[in-house]
Structures are given as C-alpha cells and as structure tokens.
Amino acid sequence: MALRWQLLKRTVDNAKSALRHNQPGISLSGYFSTSPSFADAPPRLPPFDYQPRPYRGPSGDEVLLKRKKFLGPSLFHYYQKPLNIVEGKMQYLFDESGRRYLDAFAGIVTVSCGHCHPDILNAITEQSKLLQHATTIYLHHAIADFAEALAAKMPGNLKVVYFVNSGSEANELAMMMARLYTGNLEMISLRNAYHGGSSNTIGLTALNTWKYPLPQGEIHHAMNPDPYRGIFGSDASLYAKDVQDHIEYGTSGKVAGFIAETIQGVGGAVELAPGYLKQVYDIVRKAGGVCIADEVQTGFGRTGSHYWGFQTQDVIPDIVTMAKGIGNGLPLGAVVTTPEIASVLASKIQFNTYGGNPVCSAGGRAVLNVIDKEKRQSHCADVGPHLIQRLRDLQQRHDLIGDVRGRGLMVGVELVTDRKNKTPAKAETAVLFEQLRELGILIGKGGLHGNVFRIKPPMCFTKDDADFLAEALDYSMSRL
C-alpha cells in the first residue's frame, strides 16, 4: 500500500509539472498513458471577461504555516499543495497568481448565486452602513421582510421562520422542536447522512469514518435507500419497512422525528429511492413523530425541477432546515415549521443573538430576489440535464465511472474499479482529483468511500462550463 501511494504521489507531481510547463504530451509512469488516440491538448476554460485585482498579500506557504500554528489541527485542506484562493467572481475563483478556476463545488454548495454577486453585495453593504447588528429584542424590518419572503416560498402550512447561523444549528433546533412537540425522545436518521458538526447532529450523521463517534442513546440509523449501492436497489417499500422495524423493535413504539436529506450531500450526491419519503413520513407520523427535511444543500431551486428537494418526493415535511445557499456565503441558516409546532417553543424563551441580524437578513432577502430575477431554478433545470448527459456519455466510454446521478446542479459521479462488484476506485479518484485541479477545475469529493466527485457549482454555471468539465474529466480519464 505504501508503494502504491508513493507511485500515486509521483504521478500527480509529474502531472503538475508537465501541465505547468504546458507540455501537451504527458508521459507519466503507472497511471497515465500517451496513446496517440487521445487528444494532445488539454481543454481550456471558457472565456470570461474579468480581470482579478493584483494580489499583494501573504503567499500560500506563509498562510499554511500560520494556519498550522494557530488553527485547530483537525482542519483539513484539499489538494497536496493547498490553493491560496484570494478572489471570486460568479462561477470562478482566482488564486494568488491570478490563475482562474471553475468552481464546481460552490464552497460546499454555499455560493448559490455566484461569488460576489453585485446585487447581494450591494444589499449587504448598504445595510452595513446603516446598522450591522440589533438583536430581536428590538424591531427591525429586515428580519421581518426576510421571514415573509422565505415563508412565501414554502408549501402547506410551513409559515413560521426561525433564523440561526448555520446548518448544524438549524438541525439542532429542529431536533429540539420535534422532541418538545411530540414528548418523545428517539430520532431516526439515515446511514450515510450528514446533518452537522455539533454533538447532537453528529449523532444524526452516522458518518463515523471521519466524524467523532459520540455516544447517542436515542438516535437510530435506518438503512440508506441508495438506488446504486443499497441492498434493495430502488425498492422504496423495503427500505421503508426498515424504518418501521426500528420503531417496532428498537424503540418504545413512539418516535420524536425522522430527518433526511432528499439528496445526500456529503454522502456522495445520493438521491433517495423514488417514493421513499412518502412511505416513511406516513410510518413516522403514525408513530407520533414529525418529519424533518434537511434542505441545507438541496434547497432554493438547485434541483431544477423543484424549489425544494423534498418536493421531488411529493411530500410536505413538518419542519424544514436550511443553510449554505440561503446566504450565498453569509453565516445564515433557518428553520421553518408550522404554527402548531412553533407554539411549543412559546412556553419558554427561544432566542438567538445573531440569528436574523440586519446584514444577514438583507443578504438573504437579496439571494431570494436574485434567484427569482435571474430564473436560477429554470437555469438549473436547463444546464443540469445537459451536464448529466455529458457525464453519462463519458460513462459509456470509461469503465471507471460506475454511476452518474443527481438532479439539476446537484450531481454525483461515482468511480469504481469493477462495475459488477462496485469496488470503490479510491486511488484513481485521488489522482483525477489533483489532475482536474491542474486543468483548472475545483470539484468536491465525498461518499462513504471517498470515491464520488460532488459537482454542485454556483447556479450561474453555464453549458459551456459543463462542457469544459466533461472534456477535462474525459481528458484525464483517458490517461489513466
């Protein structure tokens, strides 16, 4: 194993050197080939009329040294040589040298409308000039206006909004709501899910390969309804029965709630088996529980077909949590629920010092306006299928691609060394990950085995960007 990783490192380093010196015929040992049937020239980024400012700050090496000295050692970074990103504009990022990269990950799906969108920047700047902070013990129109606009986007009776600072905090609050409203303690979440980094949400998460395995006595992890890797394929009924079994045999017969992402993000862009949530919501509600939809990554039109991910499963939850794309980079999250569930919190004080502060509220409202004005949902519905089709075309040519999945601009590409056995291609994924960066693409990586490319760009991502990404992936895979 050590020898294999030494070979991988040498391969990646050689690839970096060859591409930096603009050598079209890359001759590398072990993993890359120079067959004449492959295109000689690597694909190029689409044109973009923007010139970044000259960077005069500390170098990436200096930043890394300071980060290692003063920040927590648990922080990780992408790439063998970390990127020093200093500027962003729409779907592109720039490093300290001024080199442009296509951002196909949107800061972990956080940048919904594009980096430094002028409308959002203007809303934040103008509000900052007037008032940066006033807690909710005083009145301010920004939080009320934002809550009204957000509630208008929700179906059914989901009309009461709570603002927080992150997705972890949103899911913490949702879990507390469920327990207070039902009087029950036990929660059900899915294996392979991710719901945050706090002590309670880590218990919901069940990705203990890289999160702390804190003891959680009142949380049950149901079988993941994964159409590609799941034991029952796309049979939603059999997965739903597992939830029923947890309730009948693993609890007192009553639960506080069930929480799920509609498309698992960190878990590798896994879309749940069709019809799964409708069956499970019915089972959970009969057991006295409430249903929570985690829309931290799937919300705000990203799936293209619907504004909210849960709508793809034809359900209406009792509680919806959201963050990331809601603020286009601002520390902002929200929980939306019904007046009935919200009433249980009225018996005590529920307070958040920074949740819904004027600046974040102004920015969040601007995000909603931009999504509507620029028709970003329909844009995702147009560009997403084009990207997915390009990737599925690659799947026909490269046996390394085991699965292409997703909706709109939330896409996963799972790499395997054996399609029949679905053996995770961990080493190959690591090499391609570095190679794509050298070609100018920043992409996400995830899944239980770390073998899934997570493609979730800002929603201004174009068909030209999609073509470039597909061509770069084809170019890199052709040399493996």
Side-chain angles (χ1 to χ4, degrees), residues 404-425:
V404 175
R405 54 184 179 249
R407 283 177 180 254
L409 289 179
M410 188 158 183
V411 179
V413 179
E414 181 155 357
L415 305 184
V416 295
T417 57
D418 183 317
R419 283 187 177 178
K420 181 180 178 181
N421 296 317
K422 301 177 183 177
T423 308

Side-chain angles (χ1 to χ4, degrees), residues 24 28 61 63 70 73 89 98 145 208 223 260 282-283 287 289 309 323 351 356 411 423 458:
L28 303 172
D61 290 340
V63 173
F70 295 108
K89 188 67 175 177
D145 292 344
N208 289 335
M223 195 177 294
D282 184 55
I283 290 169
F351 180 78
V411 179
T423 308

Side-chain angles (χ1 to χ4, degrees), residues 44-300:
R44 296 185 178 276
L45 279 164
F48 186 62
D49 187 18
Y50 181 76
Q51 186 65 37
R53 298 178 184 178
Y55 177 68
R56 298 183 175 86
S59 70
D61 290 340
E62 292 173 306
V63 173
L64 183 60
L65 285 174
K66 189 174 291 188
R67 172 168 156 151
K68 288 180 177 179
K69 184 176 180 180
F70 295 108
L71 295 176
S74 60
L75 284 180
F76 68 96
H77 55 74
Y78 271 178
Y79 308 112
Q80 290 185 346
K81 181 174 175 55
L83 276 174
N84 187 23
I85 296 296
V86 300
E87 192 171 344
K89 188 67 175 177
M90 300 312 288
Q91 69 269 41
Y92 295 105
L93 292 169
F94 299 86
D95 68 13
E96 60 188 310
S97 70
R99 183 181 178 185
R100 177 164 58 103
Y101 297 86
L102 175 62
D103 182 5
F105 199 29
I108 317 182
V109 208
T110 296
V111 181
S112 50
C113 301
H115 295 278
C116 299
H117 192 290
D119 289 6
I120 300 170
L121 282 182
N122 183 64
I124 295 169
T125 302
E126 291 304 309
Q127 181 56 58
S128 296
K129 291 177 182 178
L130 293 172
L131 180 67
Q132 290 183 311
H133 177 65
T135 73
T136 50
I137 60 175
Y138 307 115
L139 298 182
H140 193 277
H141 71 89
I143 187 173
D145 292 344
F146 185 25
E148 180 184 33
L150 190 57
K153 297 292 185 183
M154 307 302 300
N157 202 30
L158 293 164
K159 298 302 177 189
V160 182
V161 181
Y162 296 81
F163 289 114
V164 292
N165 305 293
S166 70
S168 294
E169 193 176 355
N171 285 329
E172 282 270 4
L173 180 57
M175 195 178 348
M176 183 174 75
M177 283 180 177
R179 286 170 165 168
L180 289 174
Y181 180 71
T182 64
N184 303 320
L185 285 177
E186 297 183 86
M187 295 286 300
I188 298 176
S189 63
L190 295 178
R191 302 174 194 173
N192 202 53
Y194 179 76
H195 297 291
S198 62
S199 60
N200 280 324
T201 57
I202 283 175
L204 293 173
T205 291
L207 273 178
N208 289 335
T209 53
W210 60 284
K211 285 291 183 181
Y212 313 103
L214 296 177
Q216 299 287 341
E218 306 294 343
I219 295 176
H220 303 264
H221 298 113
M223 195 177 294
N224 194 37
D226 180 350
Y228 180 65
R229 286 194 174 272
I231 190 171
F232 300 128
S234 295
D235 192 330
S237 297
L238 292 177
Y239 293 115
K241 185 179 182 303
D242 182 58
V243 174
Q244 182 70 62
D245 289 345
H246 271 283
I247 294 172
E248 288 184 6
Y249 306 113
T251 75
S252 60
K254 295 290 185 180
V255 293
F258 168 84
I259 184 170
E261 308 156 88
T262 320
I263 301 177
Q264 292 176 337
V266 175
V270 176
E271 190 169 10
L272 309 185
Y276 173 76
L277 286 186
K278 185 177 282 290
Q279 295 184 52
V280 169
Y281 277 21
D282 184 55
I283 290 169
V284 169
R285 284 168 175 156
K286 286 179 180 177
V290 299
C291 301
I292 305 168
D294 182 331
E295 291 285 328
V296 169
Q297 296 196 28
T298 51
F300 302 97

Side-chain angles (χ1 to χ4, degrees), residues 387-398:
L387 170 63
I388 290 170
Q389 187 57 55
R390 289 296 311 267
L391 294 170
R392 286 181 176 157
D393 290 342
L394 290 184
Q395 188 178 12
Q396 299 303 311
R397 297 201 297 277
H398 299 286

